[in-house]
Amino acid sequence: LRLCSKLVADPHLPNLITRVSHLQQLSMKLQVRAMSFQHQLENITSLPNDHEEDWRQEQFSLDKLYSPCPTKVIHEDSLLMNLVNSTNWYALVLPVDYQLWLFAAFFIGFAIKVPMFPFHTWIPYAHGQAPTVGSVILAAVLLKMGTYGFVRFSLPLFPDASVFFMFPIAILAIIMIIYTAMVAYAQKDIKQVVAYSSVSHMGVIILGTFALNVEGISGSIFLMIAHGVVSGALFLLVGVIYDKRHTKLMSEFGGLASVMPRFATIFGIMMMASVGLPLTINFVGEFLSLLGFYQQSHILTLLAGMAIIVCAIYMLAAYKKMFFGEVTKEENKNLPDVNKRELTALIPLVIITVWLGIYPKPVLGVINTSVESVVQLMHEKSISKEAKKRIPSVKKDAILSRTSTKEAQ
């Protein structure tokens, strides 16, 4: 504190800050000018004799600018040239050991955000304390930032590291699916059931993402959309019943199908979509995710497929407790059914759930186009033989601008 107070009281501090700012601006201008000249030099194949000496002088000035010794040329350091010339991060080709450390750093942040096992413990408390709108935004949008980060940054920037960590992450994803499903089965609060169900489905998304092929990654991205729709709708439905009954304990309900038939129908459709019933939106994403990872490991895919069955068990058990049987609580006999305002919010989600489950091409076609470019980029940037084997080459004559290994070097 004394040092900070002396530093703030120093009368020369404003001048020092101004000089540092000017030096930073000058450095940026010099780098832009140098990169511009460098780009022009690389694109010139032949020059007239009267201008050749001028361009040689420009080349000498660039070497002097980037090197402490005028005789040392920056082209000798390929990694530094990648950093200097790469306006597109995807053009950057890193050594495998660099990829491993950077991937691990990115993984910790994204794994907490997803959340992956064992970093998932914050999500039940967040859902339990959040209002209905907060839970909907958290489940439908915010959790996808973690899985999007894997697809957007970790896979294309570190393809060799992605292959290296593929099976450990897949094992964590399977544990995530099974463990959170079993915890969800033991819950007494319907909102906690939906919260743990959300974490379990995120495990399937992680599994598809690290399939490292078009089928798996496309399925995981589609499942992100599906999970947002279905989980968001389930949290909305929990909010509807909480507003009417002011409790979320399943033991306080029973026989609601006869009291609130429209609410029970919508909840049943969304519950079936959550367990991956065919012709619903979740089925498409889960099937493609498992199909993609089946190409990497048959055994792990079989375990993941069996784990998804547990999801059906706890969701059906929760639905039976709440909606079937006799109405045992006097407070539940006169509960009003969903009104027009609530139907306006829920019906569009039901339509999307069924429509994209039957005909997913409008969304899946757009996803495939982008995923093919990412997978092809990963294949071209991969260095090790194992990565070349695990990451398939997309069989099409696609032109990737500033993304190939040759151009990046």
Side-chain angles (χ1 to χ4, degrees):
L1 290 175
R2 291 177 181 177
L3 181 61
C4 291
S5 62
K6 290 181 180 180
L7 182 62
V8 173
D10 191 348
H12 300 289
L13 182 61
N15 295 332
L16 179 61
I17 295 175
T18 303
R19 291 180 181 180
V20 170
S21 177
H22 289 168
L23 287 174
Q24 290 178 345
Q25 294 178 5
L26 179 61
S27 175
M28 293 177 62
K29 291 180 180 179
L30 288 174
Q31 290 181 7
V32 171
R33 177 177 176 270
M35 291 174 64
S36 176
F37 280 130
Q38 187 73 32
H39 181 70
Q40 295 177 18
L41 287 171
E42 290 176 353
N43 291 337
I44 291 176
T45 56
S46 61
L47 289 170
N49 293 330
D50 54 346
H51 296 287
E52 186 174 0
E53 187 63 28
D54 296 337
W55 284 105
R56 287 180 179 177
Q57 292 178 2
E58 293 290 349
Q59 178 67 49
F60 176 78
S61 66
L62 291 175
D63 296 338
K64 186 175 181 180
L65 175 65
Y66 281 110
S67 177
C69 177
T71 59
K72 183 179 179 181
V73 183
I74 194 65
H75 292 286
E76 295 176 358
D77 192 345
S78 60
L79 178 59
L80 185 57
M81 281 304 300
N82 282 337
L83 293 172
V84 171
N85 292 333
S86 293
T87 56
N88 182 1
W89 280 16
Y90 286 170
L92 185 62
V93 180
L94 295 172
V96 176
D97 54 345
Y98 282 32
Q99 292 188 37
L100 295 177
W101 285 105
L102 289 172
F103 182 93
F106 275 75
F107 173 79
I108 293 174
F110 294 148
I112 295 173
K113 186 62 180 175
V114 169
M116 289 184 63
F117 176 86
F119 308 105
H120 67 286
T121 52
W122 64 271
I123 193 70
Y125 297 99
H127 280 302
Q129 300 300 323
T132 299
V133 177
S135 294
V136 171
I137 296 175
L138 178 61
V141 181
L142 297 182
L143 297 186
K144 310 306 180 297
M145 295 298 100
T147 50
Y148 171 79
F150 281 122
V151 177
R152 185 69 172 83
F153 298 105
S154 297
L155 298 189
L157 290 179
F158 320 118
D160 294 274
S162 299
V163 173
F164 182 84
F165 289 108
M166 176 175 60
F167 289 113
I169 292 176
I171 293 173
L172 287 179
I174 294 174
I175 295 174
M176 180 177 169
I177 297 170
I178 300 174
Y179 172 72
T180 54
M182 296 176 66
V183 174
Y185 184 76
Q187 298 301 308
K188 299 179 180 180
D189 188 323
I190 183 60
K191 194 172 186 180
Q192 293 296 312
V193 173
V194 178
Y196 279 105
S197 171
S198 176
V199 178
S200 181
H201 285 95
M202 295 301 291
V204 183
I205 295 175
I206 292 295
L207 201 66
T209 300
F210 283 91
L212 306 181
N213 50 44
V214 176
E215 295 83 1
I217 299 176
S218 296
S220 68
I221 296 175
F222 189 88
L223 189 54
M224 292 181 204
I225 301 173
H227 181 269
V229 174
V230 175
S231 293
L234 287 174
F235 278 115
L236 282 175
L237 290 165
V238 172
V240 168
I241 193 63
Y242 180 77
D243 287 340
K244 300 178 185 299
R245 187 63 173 78
H246 301 290
T247 182
K248 294 174 288 185
L249 295 176
M250 290 183 288
S251 59
E252 294 294 321
F253 300 105
L256 292 183
S258 59
V259 179
M260 308 170 66
R262 289 187 301 225
F263 178 81
T265 301
I266 297 174
F267 200 103
I269 294 173
M270 289 303 174
M271 182 268 298
M272 290 296 181
S274 179
V275 303
L277 184 72
L279 302 181
T280 59
I281 189 172
N282 272 31
F283 173 78
V284 179
E286 291 180 358
F287 178 79
L288 288 175
S289 298
L290 295 177
L291 178 64
F293 202 82
Y294 185 80
Q295 301 176 25
Q296 304 291 0
S297 174
H298 300 347
I299 297 176
L300 292 179
T301 306
L302 179 62
L303 291 176
M306 294 177 62
I308 294 176
I309 299 175
V310 183
C311 174
I313 295 175
Y314 67 75
M315 289 300 290
L316 290 172
Y319 192 82
K320 178 182 177 181
K321 291 178 183 178
M322 291 185 62
F323 294 97
F324 294 151
E326 298 181 357
V327 181
T328 57
K329 301 290 182 179
E330 190 68 27
E331 298 86 347
N332 298 332
K333 293 182 178 180
N334 297 319
L335 286 177
D337 207 345
V338 287
N339 53 38
K340 293 182 179 179
R341 177 177 58 87
E342 294 162 345
L343 287 174
T344 303
L346 293 170
I347 291 299
L349 298 178
V350 174
I351 294 174
I352 294 173
T353 300
V354 178
W355 173 50
L356 290 181
I358 297 174
Y359 186 64
K361 185 178 179 180
V363 176
L364 204 55
V366 178
I367 294 173
N368 277 336
T369 303
S370 299
V371 170
E372 287 175 356
S373 299
V374 173
V375 173
Q376 182 65 25
L377 169 62
M378 293 171 61
H379 179 80
E380 292 180 0
K381 288 180 61 177
S382 57
I383 300 173
S384 63
K385 293 182 179 179
E386 180 68 14
K388 290 286 186 182
K389 177 183 176 182
R390 294 289 183 180
I391 304 173
S393 176
V394 179
K395 301 299 183 180
K396 62 186 296 185
D397 297 329
I399 300 176
L400 302 176
S401 176
R402 295 202 306 269
T403 53
S404 65
T405 304
K406 181 179 178 181
E407 188 171 356
Q409 291 177 342

